[in-house]
């Protein structure tokens, strides 16, 4: 379920998430929420061949149930990926194993124990007293002795602290009211350097993807129209209210291009063709 950061154009944005947050503890004492998660920690999981909120909740078991997202669940996983030689001697070692094996795009420090049982511990990363990332570690799972991850889930990155998302490569847009917008609604970022697209900038609006490619690095046929760095604003364009730094996003009704206004003028980012990958 975490296969989002690939070379395929369905997920070309680069997020810098490697390594632990320097100088911070993985587990802290924290402050218990007024209403901690009270459900079961041993919840059967089920993998579906789809990426929907329902599928993520089924895949993430107790971790998905423990989330307190303002929007929909963003990522969710069940037990997978480690063997009998990996298990730790303590719940905290099991949590560290989760980061080591899966390299999730989540904070790697500042977790607290929300629930503890004999053979399971629920760790949560909270923002303003609400759980935004949850990881359940379990002891002596079938064929895997010791402590290790059993399920995990997280809310949209826009619900994480701004200083964390800013320092880890996320470009979080805001709406007319200045509120952070879910990345599933609008997101942007540089392309993957594996594809030599690090000078290309991509913009996702739901199922549509646009590109800023002033150097012409994308292969012929990948764009539905040329990039225009000095476009005029079409008469029918409207301000979406979306903002990122000095960028303002404007669209026409046909959405064939995204018009990005800055202090330097207006750029036309063309729509990309679907299901294309770098070679």
């Amino acid at each position: 379920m975490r296969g989002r950061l690939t070379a395929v154009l369905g997920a070309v944005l680069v997020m810098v998430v490697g390594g632990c947050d320097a100088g911070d503890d993985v587990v802290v004492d924290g402050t218990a929420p007024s209403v901690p998660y009270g459900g079961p920690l041993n919840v059967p999981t089920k993998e579906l061949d789809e990426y929907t909120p329902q599928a993520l909740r089924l895949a993430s078991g107790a971790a998905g149930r423990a989330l307190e997202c303002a929007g929909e669940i963003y990522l969710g996983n069940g037990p997978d990926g480690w063997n009998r030689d990996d298990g730790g001697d303590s719940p905290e070692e099991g949590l560290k194993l989760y980061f080591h094996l899966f390299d999730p795009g989540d904070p790697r420090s500042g977790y607290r124990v929300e629930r503890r049982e004999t053979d399971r511990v629920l760790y949560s990363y909270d923002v303003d007293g609400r759980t935004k990332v949850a990881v359940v570690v379990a002891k002596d799972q079938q064929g895997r002795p010791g402590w290790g991850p059993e399920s995990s889930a997280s809310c949209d990155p826009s619900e994480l602290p701004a200083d964390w998302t800013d320092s880890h490569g996320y470009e979080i847009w805001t709406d007319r009211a200045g509120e952070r917008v879910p990345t599933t609604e609008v997101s942007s970022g540089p392309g993957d350097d594996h594809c030599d697209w690090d000078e290309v900038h991509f913009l996702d609006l739901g199922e549509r993807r646009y590109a800023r490619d002033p150097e012409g690095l994308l292969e012929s046929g990948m764009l539905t129209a040329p990039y225009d760095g000095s476009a005029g604003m079409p008469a029918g364009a409207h301000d979406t209210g979306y903002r990122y730094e000095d960028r303002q996003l404007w669209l026409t009704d046909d959405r064939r291009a995204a018009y990005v206004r800055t202090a330097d003028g207006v750029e036309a980012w063309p729509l990309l063709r679907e299901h294309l990958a770098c070679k």
Side-chain angles (χ1 to χ4, degrees), residues 1-4 51 56-57 60 64 67 72-77 98 104-106 134 152-157 170:
M1 288 287 184
R2 287 188 183 271
R4 289 175 56 85
Y51 189 81
L56 294 175
R57 284 191 291 270
S60 57
L67 289 180
E72 291 285 4
I73 182 175
Y74 180 72
L75 290 175
N77 286 283
Y98 165 69
D106 300 324
S152 61
S154 60
C155 302
D156 191 274
Y170 290 92

Side-chain angles (χ1 to χ4, degrees), residues 6 29 45 52 59 65 76 84-85 88 96 101 112 162 167 177 189 202 205 211 225 232 247 259:
T6 68
D29 290 337
T45 61
T52 63
R65 296 187 181 191
R84 62 182 304 109
D85 297 324
K96 291 179 179 179
L101 290 178
R112 63 172 181 79
S167 64
F202 294 95
L205 283 172
R247 292 175 177 166
Y259 295 92

Side-chain angles (χ1 to χ4, degrees), residues 195-200 213-220 222-223:
C195 306
D196 293 326
W197 290 345
D198 48 320
E199 296 299 321
V200 181
D213 184 22
E215 304 298 325
L217 299 177
L218 298 179
E219 294 182 11
S220 176
M222 297 181 77
L223 299 175

Side-chain angles (χ1 to χ4, degrees), residues 200-203 209-213 218 223 227 268-270 272:
V200 181
H201 222 80
F202 294 95
L203 172 71
R209 184 163 295 109
Y210 304 86
R212 182 183 191 274
D213 184 22
L218 298 179
L223 299 175
Y227 161 78
W269 297 22
L272 271 73

